[in-house]
Amino acid sequence: RGWTSLQAAERRVRSFSGSARVSPVYGPAESQQVVFADVCPLLTSLLDWYNVCILAYGQTGCGKSYTMLGPLSKDKRGDLGIVPRAAGELFRLISENPSRSLKVDVSIVEVYNDDILDLLANERRPAVSGPPWEAPMTKATKREVSPPVRSAEDFVALAAGSLRFRARRATRVHAGSSRSHLIITATVTAAPAGGSPGKWPCTPGQGHRGEMGRPAGGRASPGSPGAQQVREQVHAKLQLVDLAGSECAGVSGVTGAALRETSFINRSLAALADVLGALAEHRDHIPFRNSQLTRVLQDVLGGDAKLLVILCVSPCRKHVAETLQVLGFGAQARHVQRGPAGGGGAAARKPR
């Protein structure tokens, strides 16, 4: 019955979007490897100097963290999520062309109650009032600069180590509910190919070997004033995002500090939907400043960027209203088309 409800919800949201293109739907029996196979081609765009974002969205308890992170354990490699698999693929692509001088820097932050908290910082402030977290957190303004990451193993180790500091709380819906949006950012930096002026490693849309042009996010041409500084390095950003789940306080049973968290979570998700709606409608003003979440994601939501939204939904009939809301968000994301990179796509997944 639950699967029938999900199929009906999908048909209904297609009628909302007016789109004939069908996104893949993964059932609970599908492996993490199958899911990543549809995500993997997007990573090649990163070395074509597009900003790339892979984002998991859905109601609380529907498997977003499992899809994005998996167990992050070597003894359960078959269950590894998108983050460790993306790290492996990124460094595999880099290793295929050792002549290119590429550097990868990683930052890991969470957006908690509309504050940006750095999960890699050494100094940590006391936890906020209410039940204790698994570990306290710190403001991103006190952020430590970590050395470049040189392998997929280093990348995964950083991610696994930072997760113990993420804000979590037990609710009626989920025993380890994430109370923040987790954003893992890998910034790939390159010098001009061969070190010669006027040759970029590649430019958006021109393939890995590239030709002379501008880097993603840059507007200076090789002969323009200020171009010498731009020639020194070009950047592309990969953001892997595990959003906190949308939540109904009446269902989750939260009160006090937890209720405040729910309010901030839902407001930031609404701000994200507003931004995607404004981008889809090509409005002059895009409300990135309405939330710290959308500020952090601004580079990957517009311009030379590609966005993939993974929708995690429940197949249960009692959650059909939330499922429709999630699919509606995905339909909105599918209409976003901004800049030469094109817009985003959306895929739906049922929880295990």
Side-chain angles (χ1 to χ4, degrees), residues 62-85:
C62 275
K64 297 180 300 300
S65 294
Y66 176 81
T67 298
M68 292 302 297
L69 303 168
L72 288 174
S73 172
K74 289 184 178 180
D75 59 349
K76 296 184 178 179
R77 293 198 63 84
D79 290 332
L80 292 179
I82 287 173
V83 169
R85 292 175 188 271

PDB file of all heavy atoms in Angstrom, residues 62-85:
ATOM      1  N   CYS A  62      13.744  10.003   7.208  1.00  0.00           N
ATOM      2  CA  CYS A  62      13.514   9.312   5.932  1.00  0.00           C
ATOM      3  C   CYS A  62      14.794   8.897   5.217  1.00  0.00           C
ATOM      4  O   CYS A  62      14.749   8.549   4.038  1.00  0.00           O
ATOM      5  CB  CYS A  62      12.665  10.184   5.009  1.00  0.00           C
ATOM      6  SG  CYS A  62      10.901   9.985   5.307  1.00  0.00           S
ATOM      7  N   GLY A  63      15.934   8.935   5.884  1.00  0.00           N
ATOM      8  CA  GLY A  63      17.135   8.362   5.305  1.00  0.00           C
ATOM      9  C   GLY A  63      18.072   9.302   4.584  1.00  0.00           C
ATOM     10  O   GLY A  63      18.903   8.845   3.798  1.00  0.00           O
ATOM     11  N   LYS A  64      17.989  10.604   4.839  1.00  0.00           N
ATOM     12  CA  LYS A  64      18.894  11.544   4.170  1.00  0.00           C
ATOM     13  C   LYS A  64      20.348  11.306   4.580  1.00  0.00           C
ATOM     14  O   LYS A  64      21.246  11.257   3.740  1.00  0.00           O
ATOM     15  CB  LYS A  64      18.491  12.989   4.493  1.00  0.00           C
ATOM     16  CG  LYS A  64      17.111  13.385   3.999  1.00  0.00           C
ATOM     17  CD  LYS A  64      16.765  14.819   4.347  1.00  0.00           C
ATOM     18  CE  LYS A  64      16.765  15.077   5.838  1.00  0.00           C
ATOM     19  NZ  LYS A  64      15.791  14.228   6.584  1.00  0.00           N
ATOM     20  N   SER A  65      20.575  11.194   5.888  1.00  0.00           N
ATOM     21  CA  SER A  65      21.954  11.000   6.370  1.00  0.00           C
ATOM     22  C   SER A  65      22.506   9.661   5.895  1.00  0.00           C
ATOM     23  O   SER A  65      23.693   9.547   5.555  1.00  0.00           O
ATOM     24  CB  SER A  65      22.008  11.079   7.902  1.00  0.00           C
ATOM     25  OG  SER A  65      21.683  12.379   8.347  1.00  0.00           O
ATOM     26  N   TYR A  66      21.671   8.632   5.851  1.00  0.00           N
ATOM     27  CA  TYR A  66      22.118   7.337   5.347  1.00  0.00           C
ATOM     28  C   TYR A  66      22.515   7.446   3.879  1.00  0.00           C
ATOM     29  O   TYR A  66      23.544   6.924   3.454  1.00  0.00           O
ATOM     30  CB  TYR A  66      21.019   6.293   5.518  1.00  0.00           C
ATOM     31  CG  TYR A  66      21.396   4.948   4.927  1.00  0.00           C
ATOM     32  CD1 TYR A  66      22.199   4.060   5.630  1.00  0.00           C
ATOM     33  CD2 TYR A  66      20.966   4.591   3.659  1.00  0.00           C
ATOM     34  CE1 TYR A  66      22.566   2.841   5.077  1.00  0.00           C
ATOM     35  CE2 TYR A  66      21.322   3.376   3.097  1.00  0.00           C
ATOM     36  CZ  TYR A  66      22.122   2.500   3.811  1.00  0.00           C
ATOM     37  OH  TYR A  66      22.487   1.306   3.257  1.00  0.00           O
ATOM     38  N   THR A  67      21.701   8.127   3.095  1.00  0.00           N
ATOM     39  CA  THR A  67      21.984   8.272   1.672  1.00  0.00           C
ATOM     40  C   THR A  67      23.264   9.065   1.443  1.00  0.00           C
ATOM     41  O   THR A  67      24.097   8.696   0.621  1.00  0.00           O
ATOM     42  CB  THR A  67      20.811   8.959   0.961  1.00  0.00           C
ATOM     43  OG1 THR A  67      19.647   8.146   1.091  1.00  0.00           O
ATOM     44  CG2 THR A  67      21.104   9.167  -0.518  1.00  0.00           C
ATOM     45  N   MET A  68      23.433  10.170   2.184  1.00  0.00           N
ATOM     46  CA  MET A  68      24.596  11.025   1.957  1.00  0.00           C
ATOM     47  C   MET A  68      25.860  10.469   2.597  1.00  0.00           C
ATOM     48  O   MET A  68      26.948  10.575   2.019  1.00  0.00           O
ATOM     49  CB  MET A  68      24.325  12.432   2.500  1.00  0.00           C
ATOM     50  CG  MET A  68      23.262  13.199   1.723  1.00  0.00           C
ATOM     51  SD  MET A  68      23.649  13.406  -0.038  1.00  0.00           S
ATOM     52  CE  MET A  68      25.151  14.391   0.051  1.00  0.00           C
ATOM     53  N   LEU A  69      25.748   9.891   3.780  1.00  0.00           N
ATOM     54  CA  LEU A  69      26.937   9.523   4.549  1.00  0.00           C
ATOM     55  C   LEU A  69      27.165   8.030   4.642  1.00  0.00           C
ATOM     56  O   LEU A  69      28.307   7.567   4.634  1.00  0.00           O
ATOM     57  CB  LEU A  69      26.838  10.109   5.965  1.00  0.00           C
ATOM     58  CG  LEU A  69      26.668  11.634   6.026  1.00  0.00           C
ATOM     59  CD1 LEU A  69      26.281  12.071   7.427  1.00  0.00           C
ATOM     60  CD2 LEU A  69      27.937  12.331   5.579  1.00  0.00           C
ATOM     61  N   GLY A  70      26.092   7.257   4.764  1.00  0.00           N
ATOM     62  CA  GLY A  70      26.252   5.845   5.035  1.00  0.00           C
ATOM     63  C   GLY A  70      26.911   5.653   6.389  1.00  0.00           C
ATOM     64  O   GLY A  70      26.941   6.569   7.219  1.00  0.00           O
ATOM     65  N   PRO A  71      27.493   4.502   6.646  1.00  0.00           N
ATOM     66  CA  PRO A  71      28.139   4.266   7.941  1.00  0.00           C
ATOM     67  C   PRO A  71      29.538   4.844   8.050  1.00  0.00           C
ATOM     68  O   PRO A  71      30.102   4.877   9.133  1.00  0.00           O
ATOM     69  CB  PRO A  71      28.183   2.733   8.027  1.00  0.00           C
ATOM     70  CG  PRO A  71      28.230   2.284   6.607  1.00  0.00           C
ATOM     71  CD  PRO A  71      27.420   3.286   5.825  1.00  0.00           C
ATOM     72  N   LEU A  72      30.142   5.325   6.920  1.00  0.00           N
ATOM     73  CA  LEU A  72      31.512   5.847   6.918  1.00  0.00           C
ATOM     74  C   LEU A  72      32.476   4.860   7.565  1.00  0.00           C
ATOM     75  O   LEU A  72      33.385   5.232   8.303  1.00  0.00           O
ATOM     76  CB  LEU A  72      31.590   7.198   7.640  1.00  0.00           C
ATOM     77  CG  LEU A  72      30.972   8.399   6.914  1.00  0.00           C
ATOM     78  CD1 LEU A  72      30.981   9.619   7.807  1.00  0.00           C
ATOM     79  CD2 LEU A  72      31.707   8.687   5.621  1.00  0.00           C
ATOM     80  N   SER A  73      32.265   3.585   7.308  1.00  0.00           N
ATOM     81  CA  SER A  73      33.062   2.538   7.944  1.00  0.00           C
ATOM     82  C   SER A  73      33.625   1.609   6.886  1.00  0.00           C
ATOM     83  O   SER A  73      32.918   1.204   5.957  1.00  0.00           O
ATOM     84  CB  SER A  73      32.208   1.743   8.937  1.00  0.00           C
ATOM     85  OG  SER A  73      32.897   0.624   9.426  1.00  0.00           O
ATOM     86  N   LYS A  74      34.912   1.244   7.025  1.00  0.00           N
ATOM     87  CA  LYS A  74      35.540   0.374   6.042  1.00  0.00           C
ATOM     88  C   LYS A  74      34.965  -1.035   6.062  1.00  0.00           C
ATOM     89  O   LYS A  74      35.013  -1.750   5.069  1.00  0.00           O
ATOM     90  CB  LYS A  74      37.044   0.325   6.301  1.00  0.00           C
ATOM     91  CG  LYS A  74      37.764   1.623   5.961  1.00  0.00           C
ATOM     92  CD  LYS A  74      39.262   1.463   6.144  1.00  0.00           C
ATOM     93  CE  LYS A  74      39.985   2.746   5.768  1.00  0.00           C
ATOM     94  NZ  LYS A  74      41.452   2.626   5.946  1.00  0.00           N
ATOM     95  N   ASP A  75      34.411  -1.457   7.218  1.00  0.00           N
ATOM     96  CA  ASP A  75      33.875  -2.811   7.287  1.00  0.00           C
ATOM     97  C   ASP A  75      32.472  -2.910   6.715  1.00  0.00           C
ATOM     98  O   ASP A  75      31.883  -3.975   6.701  1.00  0.00           O
ATOM     99  CB  ASP A  75      33.895  -3.320   8.732  1.00  0.00           C
ATOM    100  CG  ASP A  75      33.078  -2.442   9.667  1.00  0.00           C
ATOM    101  OD1 ASP A  75      32.683  -1.342   9.240  1.00  0.00           O
ATOM    102  OD2 ASP A  75      32.869  -2.852  10.821  1.00  0.00           O
ATOM    103  N   LYS A  76      31.916  -1.785   6.249  1.00  0.00           N
ATOM    104  CA  LYS A  76      30.599  -1.799   5.609  1.00  0.00           C
ATOM    105  C   LYS A  76      30.663  -1.019   4.302  1.00  0.00           C
ATOM    106  O   LYS A  76      29.851  -0.148   4.032  1.00  0.00           O
ATOM    107  CB  LYS A  76      29.539  -1.187   6.538  1.00  0.00           C
ATOM    108  CG  LYS A  76      29.312  -1.983   7.818  1.00  0.00           C
ATOM    109  CD  LYS A  76      28.192  -1.369   8.639  1.00  0.00           C
ATOM    110  CE  LYS A  76      27.917  -2.176   9.903  1.00  0.00           C
ATOM    111  NZ  LYS A  76      26.843  -1.586  10.717  1.00  0.00           N
ATOM    112  N   ARG A  77      31.645  -1.340   3.484  1.00  0.00           N
ATOM    113  CA  ARG A  77      31.876  -0.561   2.276  1.00  0.00           C
ATOM    114  C   ARG A  77      30.698  -0.613   1.310  1.00  0.00           C
ATOM    115  O   ARG A  77      30.473   0.317   0.552  1.00  0.00           O
ATOM    116  CB  ARG A  77      33.150  -1.052   1.570  1.00  0.00           C
ATOM    117  CG  ARG A  77      34.415  -0.783   2.367  1.00  0.00           C
ATOM    118  CD  ARG A  77      35.640  -0.860   1.483  1.00  0.00           C
ATOM    119  NE  ARG A  77      35.638   0.160   0.450  1.00  0.00           N
ATOM    120  CZ  ARG A  77      36.068   1.401   0.649  1.00  0.00           C
ATOM    121  NH1 ARG A  77      36.485   1.771   1.831  1.00  0.00           N
ATOM    122  NH2 ARG A  77      36.039   2.267  -0.334  1.00  0.00           N
ATOM    123  N   GLY A  78      29.929  -1.702   1.342  1.00  0.00           N
ATOM    124  CA  GLY A  78      28.789  -1.787   0.448  1.00  0.00           C
ATOM    125  C   GLY A  78      27.711  -0.786   0.766  1.00  0.00           C
ATOM    126  O   GLY A  78      26.885  -0.474  -0.081  1.00  0.00           O
ATOM    127  N   ASP A  79      27.697  -0.268   1.998  1.00  0.00           N
ATOM    128  CA  ASP A  79      26.689   0.693   2.411  1.00  0.00           C
ATOM    129  C   ASP A  79      27.187   2.132   2.395  1.00  0.00           C
ATOM    130  O   ASP A  79      26.486   3.035   2.833  1.00  0.00           O
ATOM    131  CB  ASP A  79      26.195   0.365   3.826  1.00  0.00           C
ATOM    132  CG  ASP A  79      25.367  -0.913   3.860  1.00  0.00           C
ATOM    133  OD1 ASP A  79      24.752  -1.233   2.828  1.00  0.00           O
ATOM    134  OD2 ASP A  79      25.349  -1.575   4.906  1.00  0.00           O
ATOM    135  N   LEU A  80      28.417   2.361   1.937  1.00  0.00           N
ATOM    136  CA  LEU A  80      28.958   3.714   1.940  1.00  0.00           C
ATOM    137  C   LEU A  80      28.039   4.656   1.181  1.00  0.00           C
ATOM    138  O   LEU A  80      27.482   4.313   0.141  1.00  0.00           O
ATOM    139  CB  LEU A  80      30.351   3.733   1.315  1.00  0.00           C
ATOM    140  CG  LEU A  80      31.463   3.035   2.098  1.00  0.00           C
ATOM    141  CD1 LEU A  80      32.775   3.131   1.341  1.00  0.00           C
ATOM    142  CD2 LEU A  80      31.608   3.627   3.496  1.00  0.00           C
ATOM    143  N   GLY A  81      27.888   5.866   1.708  1.00  0.00           N
ATOM    144  CA  GLY A  81      26.994   6.838   1.108  1.00  0.00           C
ATOM    145  C   GLY A  81      27.662   7.672   0.029  1.00  0.00           C
ATOM    146  O   GLY A  81      28.783   7.401  -0.422  1.00  0.00           O
ATOM    147  N   ILE A  82      26.982   8.727  -0.376  1.00  0.00           N
ATOM    148  CA  ILE A  82      27.450   9.561  -1.479  1.00  0.00           C
ATOM    149  C   ILE A  82      28.735  10.293  -1.119  1.00  0.00           C
ATOM    150  O   ILE A  82      29.638  10.419  -1.952  1.00  0.00           O
ATOM    151  CB  ILE A  82      26.339  10.547  -1.890  1.00  0.00           C
ATOM    152  CG1 ILE A  82      25.233   9.789  -2.633  1.00  0.00           C
ATOM    153  CG2 ILE A  82      26.887  11.667  -2.764  1.00  0.00           C
ATOM    154  CD1 ILE A  82      24.021  10.627  -2.946  1.00  0.00           C
ATOM    155  N   VAL A  83      28.871  10.757   0.124  1.00  0.00           N
ATOM    156  CA  VAL A  83      30.056  11.544   0.500  1.00  0.00           C
ATOM    157  C   VAL A  83      31.342  10.747   0.325  1.00  0.00           C
ATOM    158  O   VAL A  83      32.255  11.192  -0.392  1.00  0.00           O
ATOM    159  CB  VAL A  83      29.918  12.097   1.931  1.00  0.00           C
ATOM    160  CG1 VAL A  83      31.246  12.682   2.420  1.00  0.00           C
ATOM    161  CG2 VAL A  83      28.827  13.164   1.991  1.00  0.00           C
ATOM    162  N   PRO A  84      31.494   9.567   0.944  1.00  0.00           N
ATOM    163  CA  PRO A  84      32.756   8.832   0.735  1.00  0.00           C
ATOM    164  C   PRO A  84      32.945   8.360  -0.697  1.00  0.00           C
ATOM    165  O   PRO A  84      34.074   8.325  -1.201  1.00  0.00           O
ATOM    166  CB  PRO A  84      32.645   7.652   1.708  1.00  0.00           C
ATOM    167  CG  PRO A  84      31.200   7.504   2.001  1.00  0.00           C
ATOM    168  CD  PRO A  84      30.630   8.878   1.931  1.00  0.00           C
ATOM    169  N   ARG A  85      31.861   8.016  -1.376  1.00  0.00           N
ATOM    170  CA  ARG A  85      31.992   7.596  -2.773  1.00  0.00           C
ATOM    171  C   ARG A  85      32.397   8.773  -3.664  1.00  0.00           C
ATOM    172  O   ARG A  85      33.193   8.621  -4.600  1.00  0.00           O
ATOM    173  CB  ARG A  85      30.686   6.971  -3.262  1.00  0.00           C
ATOM    174  CG  ARG A  85      30.372   5.635  -2.603  1.00  0.00           C
ATOM    175  CD  ARG A  85      28.999   5.117  -3.045  1.00  0.00           C
ATOM    176  NE  ARG A  85      28.615   3.939  -2.286  1.00  0.00           N
ATOM    177  CZ  ARG A  85      28.913   2.683  -2.625  1.00  0.00           C
ATOM    178  NH1 ARG A  85      29.610   2.452  -3.725  1.00  0.00           N
ATOM    179  NH2 ARG A  85      28.518   1.672  -1.876  1.00  0.00           N
TER     180      ARG A  85
END
